[in-house]
Each structure stands twice: as C-alpha cells, then as structure tokens.
C-alpha cells in the first residue's frame, strides 16, 4: 500500500525536523553566543535535507498512488494536506526560492541597521527586491482574483482577500469609534504592575499559571529566550519560552500564558498524527486563537483574577493592598501606542489592519515601497490617532517584511476573531464556565478545546474547522461583542 510507504517517508522526514527543532531551540535558549554561525550552518543543512525529501519525486509518486487507494478519513486528510504542500513547493522554481532566501537574509541585516539608525532609506532597496521576488512567488503559486490570495493561502489556507476585507471593514469602524468612547471612561491604574518584581518570583507565578492551565510538564519545559516562542520537538516534547522584565509584571506572566496556549494545542494533537502532514495546528491563525484564548479571554478576565489573586499575593504579598478587580482592570489598560507587540486587545487589530492594507496594496502594485513611511503615518493617524516621530517606531518596527512574510500579519488578527467566536460557542456549551474559571477549574474549557479543535490537528482547513466548531463561518461580531462587554466593565462605561 502506497499510503503506508508514504507515512513511513513522512515519519523519516520528521526525524530530521526533530533534530533541527532541537538545535534551533538550543540556539535560542542555552547555546553560547560564539557558536551561532556554525550552528546556523548545521540547522540549515538538516532542514534543507528534510525539505528536499519532502518535495522529492518519490513523495510525489506516493501521493499520486495513495490517492487511488481505499483510504479512511484520517488517511485521506494526510494525502490531501500532503499533496497541497507538495504542489505548492513544486510550483516555485528552486532558483527563485534560493534568491528570495538570500535577499531576505540581506534585507534582515539592512532592516536591523535601518531600525537602529532610524533610516528607512537603508532598508528601502532591500525591501524593494524582496517585494519583487515575493510577487514572482505569488505569480508562480497562482490565484484567481487577487495576487495577495496566493500569499494569504500560505498562512491561512483557503481564505480569500475579498473575504478578509469584508471582515475588516465593520471591525475597523467599530474599533476606531470604541477607542474614542474609552477616552470618556475611567482609566485603570496600571502603575501597580510597573513596580520591582524579582525574576525568581515572576518565574514562580508563571509556573503556577501553567500548572493551572494543565500544561503537561512531563511533556515539555519552560526556558528563557529573547522572544518567547513555543516549539514542538516531537511527540510529548512541546517546549515554551518566556522572558522577564523586572519592572513589568505583565510581560512574563502573559507571555507565558500565551505560549502555554500554543503548547496546549500542540500537546492536544493526537500522537498518531505526529510527523504527518496533519500533525500541526490547522493554521497560524487557529494557533493564535488558542494562545489568545488563554492569554486574553481567560487570563485577562475578572473570573481568572478572582481565583489567581491568591497565588499572586502568595508570591507578591504587596498586592494585598489591591483587589482582584483592580488587578483585572490594570491588566486591561488600553493605550493608543505605536508598537504592535505592546498593544492591548482593543488597539491590536488596528495595528494589523494597517499592515494588511499596506502589504496588499504593495503586492498589487497600487503603492510603492518608497511611499511606505508616509502611508504608515497617515494610517496611524486615521486609526489610532497617534503618529510616531521616528520610523523605527513606525514602519521599521517589525521584521516580517524583511523576511518576505507577506500574508502573515492577518493571522494575528484572525486569531483574535476566532478566539472570540470559539469562546461564544464554548459559553453556550458550558453553562458554568464563569463559575469554573473563578474556581480555578479550567479542565472543562480545555476539554472543549481538545475535543473540538486540538484533536483534529490540521485535517481541516481553518474555514471548515470554524464552521464545524461554531456552525458558521468567520464572523467578527463575536469579537466586537466581547470587547464591548469586557471594556465597558474595565472603563466603567
Ligand atoms: Co503566538
């Protein structure tokens, strides 16, 4: 049976990916600085080998043959997802792929310099090159309506730009208006989170949160890295990292809960899917829906703080002078700020829309790279009402475009929208959800996510999955309701 041979091949490839992932994890957590160059070389070699095997003629033939066999539902999904991946990479000429990789690494170096020196012109020619090559990639991948569709599909399979625009329109209007409304509300005091908090104690608090979420420490671990991330080394080995800021309690606690949400998803994917094309999350955005669910919907709720308050004052007794409600409000402080990664739940999606609109116009030749700083600042003014003084805090803040990752940004926004839509359905299914959370009992919520989402791996496209889970396609209404409900409480409106 070709399907069995196909599975064997995928499992072999996954061993290389395991090795590369472990080396990469070490690179970002424990490796001595001087080892970086050689290590990058080894990782490149091993993942290059894995990539070569995954686009080999042998895999192509096995996929073809397996399609003709009698398969069960899981096997059909393996072939369907595997074939889509295979065809996608086959469509991009390897020379173009290489050229883009080389240009992207040069662009990243230029971006770093441009950001440090606050000079967009250093980055401009490199970005022009990357945009040019990315357009070629999109043309090879093919599309029907919009060139950007080809890129969006790399991160959110099946989603069309036109659908995305339909979601964004009402959401943007709502968020811009709601942000104005908050100006008349009662601003929470978030200075209580900006005192001195020793790292060891912050670590203890983060670990308590992870235990509460039922993150499996026998199948994972937590370390420190510059940028927090989650990585699946292999089955029963899903690791997260966090970072600490001694003067901000938010940073490590919520980075940890966020990554913990990603990790719960990975730990919940059936072991028999591991190493196969269906052994990942359904998409970047569905993955982000899981991290945001735990970070924001659970972790920034009043119910959570009604329970977790006791842990907080055990670790940091100075919070005895505050109520759980004050902490709930402080962690939901809203601010019109320049930096996406520091944005709150209300403003975050506005940061994303701006990026989406710019990259979609760039890819379709409606604007030029040289116009980006100007357009960026205009949109910041329109959507957030603030304009950065320096490009380093504006158009130069994110690395994504240097990498050629056009089509990636919407995933963050979609993750927020999906999480609210899932939450709405979860509340209907679990009548006692609020009570459970305020008692520190997260098991029913986790079990719901496991049954409906985690256990499916990437058998279904995100659009199909959302329909299966909630009974309807992506609908931004649930996010808007959630925001209004929550922030009316926070700002006493
Ligand atoms: Co994330």
């Amino acid at each position: 049976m070709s399907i069995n041979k196909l599975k064997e091949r995928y499992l072999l490839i996954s061993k290389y990916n395991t090795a590369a992932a472990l080396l990469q994890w070490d690179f970002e957590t424990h490796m001595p600085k001087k080892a970086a160059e050689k290590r990058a070389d080894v990782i490149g070699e091993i993942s290059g080998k894995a990539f070569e095997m995954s686009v080999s003629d042998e895999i192509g033939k096995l996929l073809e043959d397996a399609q003709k066999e009698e398969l069960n539902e899981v096997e059909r999904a393996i072939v369907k997802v595997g074939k889509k991946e295979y065809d996608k990479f086959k469509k991009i000429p390897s020379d173009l792929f290489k050229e883009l990789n080389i240009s992207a690494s040069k662009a990243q170096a230029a971006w770093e310099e441009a950001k440090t020196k606050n000079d967009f012109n250093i980055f401009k020619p490199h970005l022009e090159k990357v945009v040019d090559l990315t357009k070629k990639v999109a043309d090879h991948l093919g599309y029907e309506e919009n060139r950007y569709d080809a890129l969006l599909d790399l991160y959110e399979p099946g989603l069309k730009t036109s659908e995305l625009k339909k979601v964004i329109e009402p959401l943007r209007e709502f968020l811009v208006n709601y942000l104005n409304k908050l100006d008349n509300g009662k601003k929470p005091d978030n200075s209580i989170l900006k005192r001195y908090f020793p790292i060891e104690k912050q670590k203890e608090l983060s670990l308590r949160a992870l235990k509460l979420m039922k993150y499996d420490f026998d199948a994972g671990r937590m370390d420190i890295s510059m940028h927090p991330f989650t990585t699946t080394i292999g089955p029963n080995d899903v690791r997260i990292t966090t970072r600490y800021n001694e003067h901000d309690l938010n940073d490590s606690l919520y980075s940890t809960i966020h990554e913990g949400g990603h990790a719960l998803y990975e730990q919940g994917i059936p072991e028999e899917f591991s190493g196969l094309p269906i052994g990942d999350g359904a998409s970047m955005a569905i993955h982000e829906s899981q991290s945001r669910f735990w970070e924001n919907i659970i972790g920034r709720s009043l119910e959570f703080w009604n329970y977790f308050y006791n842990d907080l004052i055990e670790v940091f007794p100075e919070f005895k002078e505050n109520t759980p409600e004050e902490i709930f409000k402080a962690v939901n402080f809203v601010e019109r700020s320049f930096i996406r990664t520091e944005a709150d739940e209300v403003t975050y999606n506005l940061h994303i829309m701006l990026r989406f609109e710019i990259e979609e116009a760039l890819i379709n030749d409606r604007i030029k790279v040289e116009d980006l700083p100007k357009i960026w600042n205009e949109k910041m003014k329109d959507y957030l009402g603030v304009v950065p003084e320096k490009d380093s805090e504006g158009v130069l803040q994110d690395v994504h475009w240097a990498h050629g990752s056009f089509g990636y940004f919407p995933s963050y926004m979609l993750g927020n929208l999906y999480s609210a839509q899932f939450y709405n359905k979860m509340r209907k299914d679990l009548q006692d959800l609020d009570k459970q959370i305020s008692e520190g009992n997260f098991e029913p919520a986790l079990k719901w996510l496991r049954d409906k989402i985690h256990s499916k791996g990437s058998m279904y496209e995100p659009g199909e999955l959302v329909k299966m889970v909630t009974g309807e396609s992506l609908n931004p209404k649930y996010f808007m309701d959630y925001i209004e409900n929550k922030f009316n409480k926070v700002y006493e409106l």
Side-chain angles (χ1 to χ4, degrees):
M1 289 277 279
S2 300
I3 184 70
N4 294 329
K5 266 198 202 122
L6 182 68
K7 283 194 221 165
E8 263 170 43
R9 292 312 284 176
Y10 278 131
L11 292 179
L12 175 64
I13 296 169
S14 84
K15 290 179 184 164
Y16 286 79
N17 286 330
T18 286
L22 186 58
L23 289 168
Q24 183 68 36
W25 169 82
D26 178 68
F27 188 107
E28 292 180 62
T29 52
H30 298 291
M31 185 191 70
K33 222 170 28 192
K34 287 182 177 170
E37 208 182 311
K38 283 279 181 266
R39 173 63 60 82
D41 205 36
V42 177
I43 294 170
E45 191 69 34
I46 295 176
S47 28
K49 182 86 185 154
F51 178 74
E52 246 171 60
M53 287 195 280
S54 70
V55 296
S56 68
D57 293 342
E58 191 197 0
I59 291 274
K61 178 84 170 54
L62 288 171
L63 283 165
E64 284 294 328
D65 293 345
Q67 255 176 340
K68 294 172 203 142
E69 291 170 354
E70 212 162 298
L71 306 174
N72 63 35
E73 197 193 356
V74 170
E75 290 169 338
R76 273 201 303 277
I78 293 170
V79 174
K80 193 187 81 184
V81 179
K83 183 101 175 64
K84 192 175 174 190
E85 282 288 296
Y86 180 85
D87 289 344
K88 188 168 72 194
F89 285 115
K90 278 290 181 190
K91 280 183 191 166
I92 307 170
S94 59
D95 286 352
L96 176 59
F97 201 68
K98 265 187 209 140
E99 201 186 352
L100 180 59
N101 276 338
I102 293 165
S103 300
S105 63
K106 283 183 190 157
Q108 181 171 345
W111 168 78
E112 276 165 26
E113 194 192 337
K115 192 175 172 183
T116 311
K117 294 184 177 162
N118 185 36
D119 183 356
F120 183 75
N121 282 323
I122 298 173
F123 184 41
K124 198 188 88 168
H126 295 275
L127 183 56
E128 280 168 347
K129 176 92 185 167
V130 170
V131 170
D132 221 48
L133 294 170
T134 305
K135 287 191 288 194
K136 284 185 186 152
V137 167
D139 290 341
H140 281 285
L141 289 170
Y143 54 88
E144 281 164 22
E145 298 165 21
N146 187 323
R147 188 191 259 156
Y148 189 79
D149 285 346
L151 302 171
L152 192 56
D153 191 73
L154 297 174
Y155 304 96
E156 195 62 5
L159 186 70
K160 297 275 176 285
T161 310
S162 54
E163 295 170 283
L164 192 53
K165 283 182 175 172
K166 265 185 225 147
V167 168
I168 286 179
E169 284 294 307
L171 184 59
R172 183 178 50 222
E173 203 189 317
F174 165 79
L175 290 174
V176 169
N177 289 335
Y178 192 66
L179 202 49
N180 288 331
K181 214 173 138 189
L182 288 186
D183 289 338
N184 303 318
K186 192 163 169 246
K187 233 180 177 37
D189 172 17
N190 70 342
S191 67
I192 55 172
L193 305 171
K194 311 273 179 192
R195 293 175 288 188
Y196 170 71
F197 305 104
I199 288 175
E200 267 316 302
K201 287 186 160 197
Q202 288 199 49
K203 183 177 175 189
E204 194 193 329
L205 191 67
S206 287
L207 291 175
R208 284 179 185 228
L210 283 176
K211 278 193 193 117
L212 203 55
M213 293 163 68
K214 300 276 181 279
Y215 171 76
D216 184 355
F217 282 94
D218 291 330
R221 50 178 289 137
M222 182 173 82
D223 294 87
I224 299 175
S225 68
M226 182 123 76
H227 302 286
F229 66 93
T230 301
T231 181
T232 298
I233 310 288
N236 292 312
D237 193 353
V238 181
R239 306 182 186 193
I240 66 167
T241 67
T242 192
R243 64 173 170 211
Y244 298 100
N245 176 344
E246 285 183 325
H247 301 282
D248 187 356
L249 194 64
N250 261 313
D251 206 5
S252 124
L253 179 62
Y254 285 107
S255 295
T256 305
I257 298 177
H258 179 99
E259 298 308 327
H262 282 302
L264 287 180
Y265 191 1
E266 293 284 325
Q267 288 184 335
I269 295 175
E271 207 175 317
E272 62 268 28
F273 289 8
S274 172
L276 299 171
I278 54 169
D280 301 309
S283 72
M284 297 289 313
I286 299 289
H287 231 300
E288 204 60 14
S289 79
Q290 300 305 292
S291 54
R292 300 287 170 146
F293 175 80
W294 290 101
E295 178 193 355
N296 290 332
I297 295 181
I298 300 288
R300 286 192 164 92
S301 67
L302 179 58
E303 289 77 20
F304 174 81
W305 280 109
N306 278 335
Y307 180 83
F308 202 58
Y309 179 74
N310 280 331
D311 288 275
L312 180 69
I313 58 175
E314 271 175 40
V315 180
F316 295 111
E318 58 263 47
F319 278 102
K320 274 184 191 151
E321 58 194 64
N322 301 108
T323 63
E325 191 163 358
E326 281 167 351
I327 295 156
F328 157 70
K329 288 180 173 174
V331 299
N332 285 297
F333 187 83
V334 176
E335 197 170 17
R336 299 168 187 270
S337 64
F338 303 133
I339 309 295
R340 172 186 64 86
T341 54
E342 293 163 12
D344 51 80
E345 283 184 89
V346 180
T347 56
Y348 194 93
N349 290 330
L350 292 168
H351 288 275
I352 297 300
M353 288 172 196
L354 167 159
R355 287 159 176 76
F356 160 72
E357 285 160 6
I358 289 177
E359 62 181 29
E360 194 262 333
L362 255 187
I363 293 299
N364 286 303
D365 298 315
R366 295 199 307 274
I367 57 173
K368 291 200 177 79
V369 168
E370 61 187 50
D371 305 323
L372 291 196
K374 191 172 150 272
I375 298 173
W376 184 284
N377 290 348
E378 283 168 6
K379 285 191 184 282
M380 280 298 288
K381 183 149 187 22
D382 286 351
Y383 300 172
L384 284 142
V386 289
V387 179
E389 276 169 30
K390 300 186 285 188
D391 286 339
S392 56
E393 292 183 339
V395 68
L396 288 173
Q397 67 182 270
D398 294 310
V399 70
H400 302 58
W401 290 339
H403 287 161
S405 301
F406 294 90
Y408 187 127
F409 278 123
S411 303
Y412 297 115
M413 180 184 71
L414 292 166
N416 293 329
L417 304 186
Y418 287 144
S419 69
Q421 190 164 337
F422 290 147
Y423 177 56
N424 179 268
K425 183 70 170 70
M426 184 191 282
R427 291 184 70 85
K428 284 182 184 149
D429 292 348
L430 306 175
Q431 306 279 338
D432 283 336
L433 186 61
D434 285 347
K435 190 164 162 278
Q436 288 157 354
I437 292 167
S438 43
E439 287 168 354
N441 175 15
F442 298 168
E443 241 171 270
L446 178 58
K447 186 178 179 304
W448 190 94
L449 295 171
R450 289 260 146 100
D451 288 349
K452 313 258 174 189
I453 299 163
H454 303 177
S455 60
K456 315 284 191 233
S458 50
M459 281 178 71
Y460 307 100
E461 287 196 342
E464 291 174 273
L465 184 68
V466 171
K467 242 190 198 147
M468 281 168 58
V469 176
T470 68
E472 64 176 311
S473 18
L474 174 63
N475 186 345
K477 172 185 173 290
Y478 299 109
F479 180 77
M480 297 190 263
D481 289 349
Y482 158 77
I483 288 291
E484 202 161 20
N485 248 317
K486 176 171 177 176
F487 288 90
N488 279 0
K489 263 193 260 165
V490 176
Y491 278 74
E492 298 179 17
L493 289 168

